[in-house]
Amino acid sequence: MNESNHYLPNKMKAGSSCRIFVMTLMLSMMSVLSLAQTQGNIKGKVIEQATKQPMIGVTVQVENSEKGAITDEGGNFSIENVPIGSYALSISFVGFQTKKVTDVIISSGKTYYAEFELLDEVGDLGEVTVMAFKGESNPTMPVSAFSYSREEIFRNAGSQGDIMRALAVLPGVVSAGAQFSAIAARGQGTQDNVYMVDDMPVFNLSHLEAEGIASGFNDPNGGRFSIFAPRVVDNVQFQNGGFDATFGRRSSSFLGLGIKEGNRESSTFSAQVELLGVTLIYDGPLTKKTSLFTSARYQNFAGVANLTGIQNMGSISLGDYLVKTTTEINSKNKLSFIAMYNPERPSRTLEDIDPGTNINDDNSSGLALWNHRGSSALVGFNLRTLTSTSSYWKNVLYFRASTVDNTFGYYTPSLTEDGEILDPAFGHHEEELRTIQNNQQEFGYRSIYTKNYEKVTLTAGVDAIAINLDYARNLTRPDTLYTFRSTDFRPDPNQYYRIVDPARFNTSFENTAFNGSAYASLSWNVTNRLTLNPGLRYDYTGFAEQHTLSPRLSGSLLLGERQSINFATGLYYQDVAYYNVAAQSFGNLIKNERTIQNILGYKMQFSPDLKFVAEVWHKQFDDLVVQPNRTESLLTNDGTGYAYGADFSLIKRLSKKYYGQVSYSYMQSVRDDNDGQGEYDYTFHIPHVFSLLGSYKPNDKWVLSAKFRYSTGRPIDDYIVHDNVFNDLNFLRYSQELTSRNGRLLNDFVSFDIRADYTIQRKRSDLTLFLDITDIQNTFNVNFEQFIPLTGQVSQSGLGMFPTFGVKVEF
């Protein structure tokens, strides 16, 4: 008994110790799990922008915390056990501009991974720190250089994540109005901009360009919606003119888009469901050396039309599909692959016409019926090779294709005396009056070498492009057009309409041509304060059979630690649009258009994230493509013109909890077709443009954004109306005679946009509710006017409030 009593306490002690150990183990595991549920990691790589070499010893600091890291010999860093939330990173190294990265979102159990580039200090900046957003504060891009981060695009109110709509607030940039997202820069058109996606040229970044809508010719307003889903574009570089010799074949502005690279460390899946459609995104590792980023978006605008009361719009559906892989082959070679496919399927049939609609107030396509089948595609490889410690070589191989299959018709409904449509089926309609097929294929190769010396950086390269065009335009019978210019040819001056003859309208073209380019540019640090960037570009254009040389020069002079004078001048040649080349009769060659640009600017860097920029600019245009007779496809190079203006902007970059911008632009743009009619204001002659935007993030849950835009109304033709042009009351038709080209202005454009995002961070997912409203005050902004031959009235086409709302879930 005593013996058993002796052992009982020991057994109890052993059992108690076991329970304590198990409880301690469980508590430890719960603690670890708790940490795993409330913490994440930050990893990345830092390279030198000029040479693409990995940087050793760079300090990466999580601001307002003690967490940080130093990059190793491969430029890599790792910061572990960061509590979930939103952070800012500071990346610094002696002799380089400090880079600020805001809104680094840490999710539970996830690793945030990104590659960062550091730029050399600009001259004698002393102790001043510059927020080195991609492309800004770069002496090789001294004028008109602006950039957006992925988060800034997302926060741009009223843009619905559309990068093109976000760009419309930059100084000197305008769009064709509320319906359109394509941009026009400094007195030129929507087709005049250089677009590069991961260093591959793309000529159209928007859906619904409506080729053939203007009596069979192209719509100058550009497209309506970007081909990129929200959060696909990782960084944006924009130069409003003055870009260097590396880029050509367009003359107005340069827009470089970088598609997001996949996360090499952890995977994320997100789904966004909204009024406009559905977007799915996967971002994560594919193999040990390869990351994958892919997105799929489907949009249908029936919901917006029903909510806003837009009638007779027709059916509009769009798709955007993208895959990008990035592979670190070894320490010297990095390969990216991208594939994009962007189909669109809009149509408007008799079934889309609502009885009871007043045709004079129809905010759609008037009397037009149409069926459009189109798509664009891009496939390409981009290989970056480090050839030495001070140089790298970039080789880009791509294939681009686009298809257009458009059918246009019209309907003549029975109307009440007030102009209301009776049953559309009782009227006359013709669905296939005009057809346009435009198929393009382009194979391209770009090879660009960059060498960094002590005082000079050399960039040299060649481009080789093979283009195949297959184009056909057909009118089934003579067509009567009830809108005409006073100068249009008519066999009888009392004939107040014009006839389009199929023999003059119809055309077909199938041919292949070669384009070649060679270019070289230097960035020379003449002194600590003066940088000069001379360059020369050679282009051969196959369809024009033309050789051109384009010398260019830009530079920057530092006035002190915070101020600089910037300038650019140069010659820019622009290829004729492929659809215009294909529409010409055999043997009619159109030359490239020529632009001479001059820019002078002043920049004041008040703080790392706040700068003021003022620029004056002038452009001279020669050999502009014009259309002497609007009923024929014949084009000539008889046009000339000029444009000038001034841009002012104060930009607060995204840091801490807010960002914003205020800008004003003054612009004049004048053309002369040299047809005896004199000068006229160009389509994008918009004298005054003002924009104000801001975004505030009070905590990790809310993001609030707003934007205000104002611009002078666009120029439009003066006209008079003729009654009963056939002198037949049983076939009553009115016509519109355009008496002066762009002789009056549409109403001013005014829009106030808001956006609100509310995010709930959960253990395994993030949930975001959002509301984004364009033109919340519902001002009807007119884009263009349409003449109604049945009533003699003019219908204004435009857009008022355009909302979307939805939910995004990220796992």
Side-chain angles (χ1 to χ4, degrees), residues 251-268:
S251 62
S252 181
S253 69
F254 164 76
L255 176 62
L257 303 180
I259 305 302
K260 186 183 184 307
E261 293 186 357
N263 190 324
R264 297 173 52 186
E265 296 293 330
S266 59
S267 60
T268 301

Side-chain angles (χ1 to χ4, degrees), residues 234-290:
D234 186 57
N235 57 79
V236 177
Q237 291 178 274
F238 180 77
Q239 274 193 277
N240 205 343
F243 49 91
D244 67 25
T246 308
F247 306 106
R249 302 198 174 276
R250 292 292 185 269
S251 62
S252 181
S253 69
F254 164 76
L255 176 62
L257 303 180
I259 305 302
K260 186 183 184 307
E261 293 186 357
N263 190 324
R264 297 173 52 186
E265 296 293 330
S266 59
S267 60
T268 301
F269 173 79
S270 66
Q272 179 170 303
V273 181
E274 60 177 311
L275 186 63
L276 295 177
V278 179
T279 302
L280 304 176
I281 293 178
Y282 173 80
D283 178 4
L286 187 62
T287 67
K288 185 177 181 180
K289 292 188 174 183
T290 301

Side-chain angles (χ1 to χ4, degrees), residues 7-17 19:
Y7 283 101
L8 184 58
N10 288 331
K11 289 181 180 179
M12 291 179 64
K13 288 179 182 179
S16 177
S17 298
R19 286 193 296 271

Side-chain angles (χ1 to χ4, degrees), residues 86 304 348 414 469 541 585 630 738 784:
S86 177
V304 173
R348 188 180 193 238
S414 299
L469 303 184
T541 306
S585 58
R630 296 196 308 144
L738 306 178
F784 53 89

